[in-house]
Amino acid sequence: QGVSSAASDVYKRQLLEQSLLPLVRYFAYVQVADVEQNLWQEYARLQGAQPNFAMRKVSSAGDIYPVFRDLFKKEGVKA
């Protein structure tokens, strides 16, 4: 588990929103932790406002494949 401050998480969200998302077709953030992290809360501000951004949580090894399958399914196809 990484350590980051609330200020650095705000910077990371702004960097993602202003610099990276305009350049990429799709960006997915997957958090591997049971407890919500500050970065998750910052990135949650982008969800819905940015159509090319998605985020999911993975709590156990069994969740990894279904989460990635859902994130990277073809448009218009159920996972």
Side-chain angles (χ1 to χ4, degrees):
Q1 174 178 347
V3 176
S4 63
S5 69
S8 70
D9 290 338
V10 169
Y11 171 75
K12 290 171 193 171
R13 177 189 46 82
Q14 291 172 338
L15 181 67
L16 176 63
E17 183 176 28
Q18 297 168 8
S19 298
L20 294 175
L21 287 177
L23 299 176
V24 299
R25 182 175 176 193
Y26 185 67
F27 186 97
Y29 172 71
V30 177
Q31 177 176 288
V32 183
D34 290 328
V35 179
E36 213 168 82
Q37 306 295 313
N38 289 339
L39 188 57
W40 176 269
Q41 294 170 354
E42 280 299 318
Y43 281 1
R45 297 174 62 184
L46 300 175
Q47 199 164 18
Q50 299 290 334
N52 61 336
F53 177 74
M55 55 191 289
R56 302 284 189 283
K57 287 185 186 179
V58 174
S59 299
S60 68
D63 293 335
I64 293 171
Y65 180 73
V67 165
F68 275 88
R69 191 171 127 196
D70 179 53
L71 285 170
F72 295 102
K73 68 181 180 247
K74 291 183 180 182
E75 292 181 13
V77 176
K78 289 186 178 184

